[in-house]
């Protein structure tokens, strides 16, 4: 029998691009397994172990039988804990109830579910840029159009109502927010957040606020949208355990959304992944409810991120690099040598950095700003410092720099 026709991607994914951050880290892993000693500062993953008290709680939950399906939207105790935490900052009206919380397999799935239920063909969604690569793909998978709204580099690439308003059309239906931001490390102040939420409310836009880094801030605590919003009838707040508690592999995130939206997200999830892994939900519950032992671990991790930032930033600056001083998350965002004289200067530089200096980072093209590149400092301090020295050496000898 002749072979059937070759695989042709369906219209659903025809425009889908592989996650560029994952692609960069796979290339680094391939070089490592070929024997090269690569310093991998590509991944956005804390290098700490999940705090021991959380691991112990998960083992106990397993032994107590946490091995079966749960409600699609997650165990009640976890949704209650999320609602309790959210109500500690929400002042705008009736308290958030567990029925408005949907637990998913990582905040990535929460964001995807939210995009799928809120946006569709013909809709435009404003995405402050540079931005985490997956927003563009998620909005695209919902068959809506992601509209890049480039922030001002002099303001850490943050956007404001005036910039957002310039990109709005009658088809604008929503806005993605991310503070602290991946890749810039910028943090929106309460006033900046409030101004954007006010604009969205006045236009009837949906706001999806991705707050996965909200606990990792180096100045004042970073504010979430609920702390400043006056209303939340068009607000979906997404968070999870991955970054703050070093729990990337457990895959637990959640959305806090108005009840009809939460219901629609649950229905969507019921046909795709069902509940997040049961034992992982119990681990997340421990993270949110065990109190001081967990809080201490979070403080220690944030202090270590800060120490790395403070050790590496002066090296990058002294090397003459243009770098945004991060106020949160764990990334440096830097202008690539050669920017302005070659197209996609970030990719040219990061490729050379990997091949000649054995340092893996992510080109800014992944975040729709090809003149820039991102260094993650979620790695041992000595490695971060050594890698930054190499970045400076590579920059000094870079053609066109
Ligand atoms: C901005 C942002 N949002 C969401 C995620 C996904 O987190 P999770 O592991 O909870 O799916 C990431 C992970 O890199 C991220 O950087």
């Amino acid at each position: 029998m002749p072979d059937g026709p070759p695989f042709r991607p369906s219209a659903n994914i025809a425009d889908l691009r592989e996650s560029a951050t994952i692609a960069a880290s796979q290339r680094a892993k391939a070089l490592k397994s070929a024997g090269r000693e690569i310093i991998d500062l590509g991944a956005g993953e804390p290098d700490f172990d999940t705090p021991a008290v959380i691991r112990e709680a998960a083992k106990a939950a397993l032994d107590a039988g946490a091995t079966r399906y749960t409600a699609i939207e997650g165990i009640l105790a976890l949704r209650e804990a999320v609602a309790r935490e959210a109500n500690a900052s929400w002042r705008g009206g009736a308290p958030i109830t567990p029925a408005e919380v949907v637990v998913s397999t990582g905040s990535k799935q929460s964001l995807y579910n939210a995009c799928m239920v809120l946006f569709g063909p013909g809709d435009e969604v404003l995405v402050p840029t540079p931005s985490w690569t997956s927003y563009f793909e998620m909005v695209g998978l919902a068959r809506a159009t992601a509209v890049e709204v480039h922030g001002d580099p002099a303001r850490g690439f943050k956007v404001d109502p005036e910039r957002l308003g310039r990109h709005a059309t009658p088809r604008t239906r929503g806005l993605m927010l991310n503070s602290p931001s991946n890749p810039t490390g910028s943090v929106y102040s309460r006033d900046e957040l409030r101004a954007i939420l006010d604009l969205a409310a006045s236009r009837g836009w949906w706001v999806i606020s991705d707050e996965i880094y909200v606990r990792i801030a180096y100045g004042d605590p970073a504010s979430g949208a609920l702390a400043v919003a006056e209303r939340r009838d068009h607000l979906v707040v997404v968070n999870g355990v991955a970054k703050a508690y070093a729990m990337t592999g457990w895959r637990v995130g959640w959305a806090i959304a108005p009840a009809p939206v939460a219901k629609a997200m649950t229905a969507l999830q019921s046909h795709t992944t069902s509940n997040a892994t049961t034992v992982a939900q119990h681990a997340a519950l421990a993270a949110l409810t065990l109190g001081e032992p967990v809080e201490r671990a979070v403080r220690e991790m944030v202090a270590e991120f800060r120490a790395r930032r403070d050790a590496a930033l002066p090296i990058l600056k002294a090397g003459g690099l243009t770098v945004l001083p991060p106020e949160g998350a764990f990334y440096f965002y830097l202008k690539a040598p050669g920017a302005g004289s070659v197209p996609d200067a970030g990719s040219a530089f990061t490729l050379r950095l990997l091949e000649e200096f054995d340092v893996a980072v992510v080109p800014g093209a992944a975040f729709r700003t090809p003149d820039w590149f991102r260094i993650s400092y979620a790695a041992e301090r000595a490695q971060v410092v050594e890698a930054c020295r190499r970045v400076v050496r590579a920059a000094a000898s870079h053609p066109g720099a």
Side-chain angles (χ1 to χ4, degrees):
M1 262 206 308
D3 289 346
F7 167 65
R8 191 168 46 85
S10 75
N12 296 332
I13 63 144
D15 296 329
L16 192 72
R17 303 188 210 168
E18 186 189 5
S19 163
T21 44
I22 291 175
S25 109
Q26 275 170 351
R27 172 78 183 135
K29 281 195 182 108
L31 287 178
K32 267 191 210 164
S33 49
R36 289 264 293 273
E37 280 192 23
I38 304 292
I39 303 181
D40 186 357
L41 303 185
E45 173 166 31
D47 53 315
F48 309 109
D49 290 331
T50 301
V53 281
I54 298 175
R55 300 200 309 265
E56 290 307 321
K59 288 180 208 165
L62 262 186
D63 289 340
T67 60
R68 297 173 184 262
Y69 290 140
T70 71
I72 302 295
E73 63 273 28
I75 56 174
L76 180 60
L78 178 55
R79 288 182 293 117
E80 283 173 342
V82 170
R84 205 161 39 241
E85 197 177 82
N87 282 322
S89 59
W90 165 242
R91 295 274 173 277
I96 294 155
T97 68
E100 294 167 298
V101 177
V102 184
V103 175
S104 298
T105 302
S107 68
K108 202 177 233 184
Q109 191 192 10
S110 303
L111 291 161
Y112 173 79
N113 287 349
C115 288
M116 287 299 278
V117 309
L118 294 176
F119 309 132
D123 293 338
E124 292 177 1
V125 181
L126 304 179
V127 184
T129 306
S131 114
W132 186 49
T133 171
S134 293
Y135 300 144
F136 298 104
E137 307 302 334
M138 290 174 181
V139 169
L141 285 168
R143 288 183 263 181
T145 303
V147 176
E148 295 177 20
V149 181
H150 285 257
D152 178 1
R155 292 190 55 244
F157 280 109
K158 287 190 275 189
V159 299
D160 57 18
E162 196 267 325
R163 264 176 204 258
L164 291 165
R166 263 193 271 141
H167 290 78
T169 75
R171 289 179 301 282
T172 305
R173 195 159 148 81
L175 160 69
M176 308 298 293
L177 271 185
N178 176 219
S179 175
S181 153
N182 174 10
T184 61
S186 297
V187 177
Y188 284 76
S189 71
R190 289 173 72 94
D191 287 346
E192 288 167 339
L193 267 185
R194 191 178 292 115
I196 292 173
L197 290 170
D198 284 351
L199 170 74
S202 72
R203 304 281 182 101
W205 297 340
W206 285 98
V207 174
I208 300 180
S209 180
D210 176 355
E211 302 182 0
I212 193 74
Y213 295 101
V214 78
R215 299 212 53 193
I216 306 174
Y218 306 118
D220 291 336
S223 175
L226 286 169
V228 295
E230 282 180 11
R231 44 198 287 192
R232 57 180 189 86
D233 53 323
H234 276 62
L235 175 63
V236 179
V237 171
V238 173
N239 205 337
V241 293
K243 314 285 178 173
Y245 304 102
M247 292 178 70
T248 45
W250 297 82
R251 312 304 306 131
V252 177
W254 53 80
I256 302 168
V261 177
K263 211 168 155 215
M265 290 173 69
T266 304
L268 174 62
Q269 187 163 299
S270 77
H271 296 296
T272 52
T273 55
S274 291
N275 62 274
T277 304
T278 303
V279 67
Q281 291 189 59
H282 285 272
L285 175 63
L288 264 55
T289 57
L290 284 182
E292 185 47 27
V294 175
E295 293 307 306
R296 196 180 324 119
V298 174
R299 281 197 301 277
E300 284 167 10
M301 290 189 275
V302 174
E304 177 55 29
F305 284 135
R306 179 203 300 267
R308 294 169 186 176
R309 180 196 68 162
D310 292 348
L313 191 56
I315 298 171
L316 297 168
K317 281 187 172 164
L321 285 148
T322 303
V323 51
L324 304 178
E327 302 159 331
F330 36 70
Y331 307 107
F332 293 120
Y333 210 48
L334 303 101
K335 192 155 200 179
S341 44
V342 288
D344 200 358
S347 296
F349 180 67
T350 57
L351 189 66
R352 194 172 148 250
L353 199 56
L354 181 60
E355 303 298 341
E356 294 178 30
F357 293 83
D358 293 345
V359 175
V361 297
V362 181
F367 312 101
R368 310 266 171 138
T369 38
D371 278 345
W372 293 71
F373 66 103
R374 187 193 79 177
I375 298 177
S376 162
Y377 47 92
E380 263 176 39
R381 204 182 315 171
Q383 291 223 314
V384 174
V385 165
E386 170 56 24
C388 288
R389 291 203 175 108
R390 292 189 202 174
V391 168
V392 167
R393 279 209 307 278
S397 61
H398 196 67

